[in-house]
Every structure is written in structure tokens, then in C-alpha cells.
Amino acid sequence: MRTLKTNSRTTFFTLIFLPAIVVVLFLTVYPVLNTIILAFFKYNYLSDERAFIGIRNFLTIGKDTVFQSALLNTILFATVATISEVLLGILLALMFYGEFPGKRPIMITVIFPMMVSTMVICAVWKVLYHYDIGLFNYILRTLGLKPIGWLIDQNKALLSIILVDIWQWTPFAFLVMQAGLSSIPKEVFEASSIDGAGYYRNLFLITLPILSNQILLVVMLRTIDTFRIFGKVYALTQGGPGNSTETISYYIYREGFSYFNLGRASASALYALVIISLIAVFYIKGIMKEEN
Amino acid sequence: MNKTMMILIVVLLAFPLSVFATGAPEEGGSITLTIAGRDGAYGDAMQLAADEYSKLNPDVSFEILKLSGSSLFEKSVIDMKSGVGTYDLVLIDDPNVTQIQKAGWLADLGAMYDERSISLDSDFIPTLTKLGRYPYSDDGTLYALPLVGNVELFAYRKDLLDKYGLGAPDTWDKVLAAAETLSANEPDIFPVLFRGSKGNPIVTGFLPLFWAFGGSILVDERPAMDSPEALAALEFFLELAQYAPEGVSMYQSAQVKDALYSGKGAMAIEVWPGWIKNLDNPEESAVVGKVIVTKHPAQVEKSSPMIGVWLAGIPEASQKKAAAFDFLQFLTSAEMQAQMADATGIPPTRTSVHGISSLVEKYAWYPAQLDGLRNGVPRPRTNKWKEIEEALGTYLQLALIGEMSAREALEEVNAKIGEIVE
């Protein structure tokens, strides 16, 4: 009787959750499977031409110089932006540790960039970076220096976009670090001070080791996010000048939604998925290790 | 499990599916037409026409999507391909229309004309109606009507050229000579302006020069960018670009317009009717009465402005095709085109509207615009144009920023176009 009741409850809960499971499967598993399948086809959505071509999409994309540039730029972008944001986030958190007059309004100002839409930020920075009428070059000219082609020089355009990302997302790293810092009991620092430890000893032997979980988490989240960089490239340079700011997401977007080459877009998306998954696994292992 | 539970489960299972259910067509009574259109002046013009139409037909209302060019293309393609029929009228940039016509996603307007026993008005500029036909010929099936008569034009500061005794730049050699003179004598002036941004902008700036030098992108659907004409054109373009502003490789329409309106630019090798409508408005322009807008210079070939017409078509999947056709007739009528041109500055596609004296007085370049529309060159009729344009735009910019020589850029782009059309 009891078993019958348990079975009935199990069936009931299975059925009650079934709609949600169906929706989740439809929205997550199906697109991924479909992407994997499409990657092996030459498929143009517009013309409806669809032919199985095995791994040819992966090979042609791998040989495509634009994709190669996009991959290198993405890795460079993710590395530089993530490291800078985390370091600056830690620095800001340390600066804001403790009480001082005007702390709240200053904090709100510091985290403001994170709250603004990327497109709005890009519109502002595009004007600031403008070669002829931008504020930065105006200051350089006023100082008697040569103006810089922030977005027009292919050696500087990617760094200019990285700078915008750092400006926007350092506050996120700062907030997480600050939350971590606040959770460290003050007695720990007091005890170490009594034992004769100075500021830097405290920082490197107590604060940073305790914050390591938060640091790893922010590094993981920012790496994954910067690896998917799209909006800033779209709004500021559209991949130019030349291929100097091409990124994987922008490449996928163009293949998929400009040319409607869904086979090639899927294959390039899978390249990105594999890389991001490897990064995520690497960081998650690190975090789990820390926890153990 | 009791009956109530079973009903609950069925309802819960059915709910997600109901989200995807589509609405039935409206029957009788009021009707709402959904238009996938453009933003900016095009959107204002469409809104004006829709409001006027609703005044005359109170039972017809409109939902107008005012989208950027790329967003419009994405949304309209996805909708037409799915056959859902969300849109009753779509705006299409002329180089994109071939693939949409070929896919069979647009309603046959010729058949709709026949059903009503009316015919296409001969007032439409023939080169433009031809763009709405598939196959691309004078007797191809009509799938779209020309709505916005966009054509590339050439603008120059007459006062500056007169100052140095330079005549009208009616050949590209004269443009280069004028740029050299202005560069030597007017240090605060940018002699040449164009959009150098990667992709469509730089291609658009380059094509009138390229065609005037006798170049072709495709010949018999094969790449032809490795010709001596193409090389001569690109080398000339790069020479001319030396007289453009330092940051020209990232110039978009806003920068070209700023330089032209502020008086900092002397010759814009590419302007569009929408950019220049306020050139003689003293509140917005510092060069009132000083800029001549005309057709492009010639070289070994005649003046070859690029046509960039926007067409309006009715998706085959629309469930309100008849109502959409009636509105399309109203939208493209001479009266409405004149009203839209006057209010928003969008260029008409009818010959008669180009002759309305009040409009010619307001927009002095109308004769040049009409000439450009009649004799301009459309981009190649291929369903791979977007990819070709992107490749061409990338390599042109690489040559512009000195990353490649003209010859290398053309060899690379020729190979790339070969891969695309394969």
C-alpha cells in the first residue's frame, strides 16, 4: 500500500515537472544538438541549400585568416581585460576597506559604469576616442602631443576596446572583492598585527589567500564574459580597421545573421564553445580544489 | 491519481505549446498591417504615409517596425523563411532583394495588378522597377516596387574650387588635381571625404570610381577583381585617399556629414540624398549656397553613381496581401512620394516627382539625382552580395591603412570572392 502511494507520488511529481523539463530541453539541449549537427552541413538558410560535408566547415574556418585573427584577438582581449579588471578590482576593494568620509557617494560613482548599457557606453567612448573631435586627442593636442588613432590605428584599436571593457567591468570585480574582504573578521588582522605583521605581510599572507575563492570566481566569470565580446566591437569598430578587432562572437554573428551560412556559423560557435568549456572546467577545478 | 490531477497535468503540458500558437487572420472589420521598415527619415516617411492612409481608411491601422538596415534584414528573412507571415510589407535594400526573390518569399505583384485590371505606372523610373523584378530584366516577374530613390552623388565646394580657378570636377583626374591644389593651399580643409570604415561604407565610396575606371566585380558570375582596370582604380583611390582626413579609415556617414556641413571638407566622393537635405539650411550648415551636389566624375567610362534603392514588397506568407497591396499603391503614388520627399527628404522613385518645382527649389540636386537614378549602376545581382561586399570592404580597408599594396589586396579579394561564389 505504502509502495503504491510512493509510486503514485513519484509519477505525479514526474508529470508535474514534465512541462518544465520539456521547455528546458527544448530551449537548451535542442539548440546545442542542432548546432552540432549543422556544423557538419553546408547550410545556407536563405537558399535552403543543405549538404553533408563532414568536417569541411571546421577545416575551412580553421584556415580562414579572419577567423584566426578573431581567435587571437579574443584570447588577447579576454586575457588582458580579465587580468586588469581583477587586479584593479582588488586594488579598489583594498582602497575602500575601512571607513572614510564620502565613502558611499564615491562607491556609487565607481560602480556606475557597470549599470549603464553597453551600447550607451560605446556611444560615449566613440566620441571620446574620435580622432578629430574626441576629448582624448583634444587633450593631447593641447599638450602639444601627436593625436592617437584610438580606433583607427590597427595596433591600438583592440587595446582601446579593452580599455572600455576595463572601465565598465572593474566595478564588478571590485564589488565581489569588497564582499569577500568584509567577510574577513577584523580580529584576524588585529592578531597578526600584534604578532608584528605589517600591511604587506597581512595582504599577501592573509587577505589574498582568504580572497582566493572570490578571485578565482571573478576570473572565471570575466574570462567567460570577455571571451564572448560582441557589443563593444559591433558598436565601436565592427571588426576594423582591417581585421584588428575581429572577435569570435562577431565572426559567428556575421556568418549566421549577415550571410545566413548556418553551417559555418555553427562550426565556429562550436570552436568557441569548446574553448569556453575548457576554460570553465579549468577554473571550476581550481575552485573545487580551493574548497577541499 | 484522481481526475482533477490529470486535468491539471494536461493543462500544464498544453500551456507551453500555447505560447507558440499563432493568431488567425483578421476577418472583416478593422485590419492592422505590420510593416518591417527602416529607422530615421525612412521611418518618418512610412509613418507619415501610414497616418495619411488611416485618415482615408479608418478601418486600417498600422504597426511599423523602425529598424536599422542589418536588423531589418535579419528579422524579415527569418520571418519570411519561417512562413509565419508576421509582416505584411517589408522594405528591402536592392542588393539583398535577389536572394529573397529567388527564394520565392515575395508575392507576385504582377499577378495582383492583373487581378485588379490595372498596370504598373510608367511614371516609375524604369531602372528602378527593373530592380524589383526577378529575373533581373525588363520583363522579369515584379516582386517589389521602388520606394526610396537613393543614389550616390558627388559634392564639392564650388567657392573653394573657383578660388583656385579649378573647373567642375567632371573626371576623376580633375578631382585628384583639385585635391592636390587644395592640400597645398588650404591647410585647414580636408580636400577629400569618404567613408573608409570596413565593409559596406568603404565599398560604397569606392564603387563609383571603380566603375568609372572600367572595373567589374563579377563577370559571368566569376570574380574579375584581378583586372588592370581594377588595379588602376584602386591605385587611384589610394592616391586620392592621401588627401582625406587622417582618421578616414573609420569614417562613417556622421563624420563625412560633419566635415561637409562645418565647411571642413572640400569634396565628398560619396553623399546620399538623406545626408544633404539641410546643406542649404543656415541653422545646420556653415556652407549655405557653397556646395554643388552633382553626378560622379567620369574617367574611361561615363559617370557611374551607385544605385542604392529601397524596395517595398509583400511577403508571400502575409495573410493580408490584398490590403497590403492597396497600401503599397498609396505609398508609392506620386502624391504620397511628393509629400514624403517634402516632409522627410527621402528621394522619390517617380520621374514626375523629380519635376515638381517646389521640390526642385528645395532640393537643388534633383536633376542630378534623376540622372543618377536613370543612368546609375546597381550592385551585382547575386545572392552572395553581402559576403562579397564584406570581403571587398575588408581588403579595400587593408589597402587603405597600408597593410597591403593595391595589387595584393586585389589578388586576395579576387581569390576570396572566388571561394564565395563557388
Side-chain angles (χ1 to χ4, degrees):
Chain A
M1 188 68 188
R2 197 183 166 92
T3 316
L4 194 68
K5 202 173 175 183
T6 311
N7 282 346
S8 173
R9 277 173 66 86
T10 310
T11 312
F12 170 71
F13 283 116
T14 307
L15 287 172
I16 207 93
F17 281 120
L18 201 58
I21 293 167
V22 168
V23 171
V24 168
L25 287 176
F26 183 76
L27 295 177
T28 56
V29 179
Y30 169 73
V32 174
L33 283 178
N34 204 31
T35 304
I36 293 170
I37 293 165
L38 277 178
F40 295 94
F41 283 82
K42 181 182 179 179
Y43 177 40
N44 187 284
Y45 184 76
L46 275 165
S47 60
D48 233 356
E49 290 163 29
R50 193 175 180 138
F52 181 77
I53 53 166
I55 58 166
R56 221 170 80 191
N57 278 332
F58 294 97
L59 296 177
T60 51
I61 288 167
K63 282 186 211 158
D64 188 347
T65 50
V66 181
F67 182 78
Q68 289 166 2
S69 301
L71 182 62
L72 283 175
N73 289 338
T74 307
I75 291 169
L76 184 66
F77 185 96
T79 310
V80 177
T82 303
I83 291 172
S84 310
E85 286 161 20
V86 172
L87 288 179
L88 286 170
I90 294 170
L91 197 68
L92 280 172
L94 293 172
M95 282 166 65
F96 278 81
Y97 189 64
E99 288 301 319
F100 57 87
K103 183 180 171 182
R104 275 170 184 255
I106 297 172
M107 257 188 81
I108 291 169
T109 314
V110 168
I111 64 170
F112 178 74
M114 196 180 82
M115 298 185 285
V116 185
S117 137
T118 299
M119 287 299 152
V120 174
I121 283 173
C122 289
V124 173
W125 279 82
K126 203 168 183 176
V127 177
L128 294 175
Y129 277 147
H130 194 286
Y131 188 85
D132 297 313
I133 57 163
L135 177 70
F136 298 150
N137 279 354
Y138 172 76
I139 293 169
L140 289 174
R141 283 193 189 99
T142 310
L143 296 171
L145 300 169
K146 207 170 174 270
I148 293 172
W150 300 98
L151 296 175
I152 61 175
D153 182 336
Q154 58 172 351
N155 296 317
K156 297 186 180 72
L158 188 67
L159 287 173
S160 301
I161 301 178
I162 291 174
L163 199 61
V164 181
D165 198 76
I166 292 171
W167 182 80
Q168 187 184 14
W169 288 109
T170 295
F172 170 71
F174 160 58
L175 283 180
V176 177
M177 297 305 162
Q178 221 223 5
L181 261 182
S182 330
S183 67
I184 305 174
K186 286 212 168 45
E187 291 79 9
V188 176
F189 296 115
E190 284 166 11
S192 71
S193 298
I194 290 165
D195 289 343
Y199 178 78
Y200 290 105
R201 220 172 151 79
N202 269 344
L203 176 66
F204 289 107
L205 295 179
I206 297 175
T207 314
L208 292 181
I210 292 176
L211 283 181
S212 60
N213 257 351
Q214 279 88 346
I215 294 172
L216 264 176
L217 180 72
V218 175
V219 168
M220 181 180 81
L221 293 177
R222 290 309 306 146
T223 309
I224 291 172
D225 194 46
T226 48
F227 208 87
R228 296 177 306 175
I229 176 76
F230 174 78
K232 292 185 181 80
V233 172
Y234 182 78
L236 289 171
T237 58
Q238 305 209 312
N243 293 325
S244 63
T245 59
E246 280 286 345
T247 61
I248 292 187
S249 296
Y250 194 64
Y251 183 92
I252 296 168
Y253 164 78
R254 219 180 25 244
E255 283 290 344
F257 294 100
S258 234
Y259 312 153
F260 287 98
N261 285 331
L262 298 194
R264 281 174 64 98
S266 299
S268 30
L270 282 184
Y271 269 121
L273 181 70
V274 168
I275 296 168
I276 291 176
S277 304
L278 288 174
I279 293 168
V281 167
F282 174 76
Y283 285 130
I284 288 167
K285 267 189 171 177
I287 291 171
M288 304 271 274
K289 204 173 150 189
E290 285 287 327
E291 277 176 358
N292 288 334
Chain B
M1 202 160 21
N2 62 31
K3 206 172 167 183
T4 318
M5 276 184 191
M6 280 303 291
I7 292 168
L8 185 67
I9 289 162
V10 169
V11 169
L12 285 169
L13 277 168
F15 176 72
L17 299 174
S18 68
V19 172
F20 303 103
T22 54
E26 293 170 55
E27 283 175 21
S30 63
I31 196 163
T32 300
L33 292 176
T34 306
I35 299 172
R38 279 296 312 273
D39 48 5
Y42 298 1
D44 296 341
M46 186 64 82
Q47 190 67 58
L48 174 72
D51 292 345
E52 290 296 316
Y53 193 74
S54 288
K55 273 185 212 163
L56 299 170
N57 303 275
D59 55 334
V60 181
S61 60
F62 292 88
E63 190 181 339
I64 303 172
L65 278 78
K66 296 173 183 173
L67 306 164
S68 68
S70 55
S71 181
L72 169 62
F73 183 65
E74 281 167 38
K75 283 183 193 295
S76 51
V77 162
I78 290 168
D79 180 70
M80 288 190 283
K81 164 87 177 177
S82 68
V84 171
T86 308
Y87 307 126
D88 303 302
L89 194 73
V90 288
L91 247 63
I92 308 160
D93 195 6
D94 85 73
N96 296 336
V97 77
T98 308
Q99 48 199 335
I100 292 173
Q101 289 165 327
K102 194 177 174 187
W105 295 339
L106 292 175
D108 177 355
L109 297 182
M112 296 174 94
Y113 272 108
D114 292 344
E115 276 171 26
R116 284 165 167 73
S117 304
I118 52 174
S119 57
L120 181 69
D121 197 337
S122 59
D123 187 27
F124 282 111
I125 300 164
T127 44
L128 309 190
T129 43
K130 192 174 164 185
L131 292 169
R133 295 182 184 279
Y134 185 79
Y136 177 63
S137 66
D138 291 327
D139 53 3
T141 306
L142 185 69
Y143 287 105
L145 288 182
L147 176 66
V148 183
N150 247 347
V151 65
E152 226 176 327
L153 296 163
F154 183 91
Y156 67 94
R157 284 275 300 277
K158 188 174 183 310
D159 59 323
L160 281 175
L161 267 63
D162 285 350
K163 187 175 165 185
Y164 298 100
L166 301 162
D170 53 6
T171 66
W172 285 102
D173 282 336
K174 286 184 186 173
V175 174
L176 184 60
E180 284 165 353
T181 306
L182 292 171
S183 173
N185 296 290
E186 299 282 346
D188 294 331
I189 295 285
F190 301 133
V192 173
L193 296 169
F194 60 90
R195 293 184 296 166
S197 289
K198 188 179 167 180
N200 167 278
I202 191 168
V203 173
T204 307
F206 175 65
L207 284 181
L209 187 152
F210 175 73
W211 286 325
F213 273 73
S216 295
I217 298 170
L218 296 173
V219 173
D220 296 332
E221 298 192 17
R222 297 297 310 156
M225 295 297 294
D226 55 353
S227 66
E229 292 84 4
L231 183 61
L234 184 51
E235 282 176 342
F236 188 92
F237 180 71
L238 297 178
E239 202 177 343
L240 201 57
Q242 290 173 12
Y243 301 101
E246 184 86 18
V248 74
S249 64
M250 289 307 280
Y251 263 39
Q252 292 276 14
S253 55
Q255 287 77 41
V256 174
K257 277 165 66 180
D258 282 348
L260 199 60
Y261 275 70
S262 64
K264 286 203 80 177
M267 293 182 287
I269 68 171
E270 175 213 11
V271 290
W272 293 88
W275 300 3
I276 51 177
K277 60 184 178 187
N278 288 316
L279 261 179
D280 287 331
N281 177 356
E283 284 176 17
E284 302 212 12
S285 167
V287 287
V288 175
K290 292 178 180 174
V291 179
I292 299 286
V293 178
T294 184
K295 65 180 180 181
H296 277 85
Q299 192 71 9
V300 296
E301 293 289 335
K302 67 179 178 64
S303 166
S304 309
M306 190 186 96
I307 290 178
V309 166
W310 281 82
L311 302 144
I314 300 170
E316 183 62 46
S318 163
Q319 292 169 350
K320 301 158 199 164
K321 286 204 278 281
F325 184 77
D326 291 339
F327 174 65
L328 183 58
Q329 292 303 301
F330 176 82
L331 180 69
T332 55
S333 66
E335 295 75 18
M336 199 61 239
Q337 285 211 358
Q339 215 175 321
M340 290 191 296
D342 186 41
T344 68
I346 69 160
T349 53
R350 285 172 172 268
T351 307
S352 65
V353 183
H354 279 91
I356 297 172
S357 55
S358 59
L359 288 177
V360 177
E361 200 177 310
K362 193 171 180 180
Y363 308 122
W365 57 87
Y366 261 35
Q369 184 174 287
L370 181 60
D371 185 25
L373 289 170
R374 280 178 172 155
N375 301 302
V377 184
R379 281 157 282 186
R381 302 287 98 188
T382 163
N383 56 2
K384 296 283 185 185
W385 174 248
K386 276 184 105 66
E387 285 171 81
I388 292 173
E389 184 180 63
E390 188 64 35
L392 183 54
T394 300
Y395 287 102
L396 283 178
Q397 205 202 35
L398 287 170
L400 179 69
I401 61 178
E403 190 70 7
M404 280 183 178
S405 69
R407 188 181 293 276
E408 284 168 342
L410 290 174
E411 280 169 4
E412 293 276 350
V413 78
N414 203 58
K416 187 82 184 170
I417 294 174
E419 285 171 25
I420 292 167
V421 297
E422 201 174 75

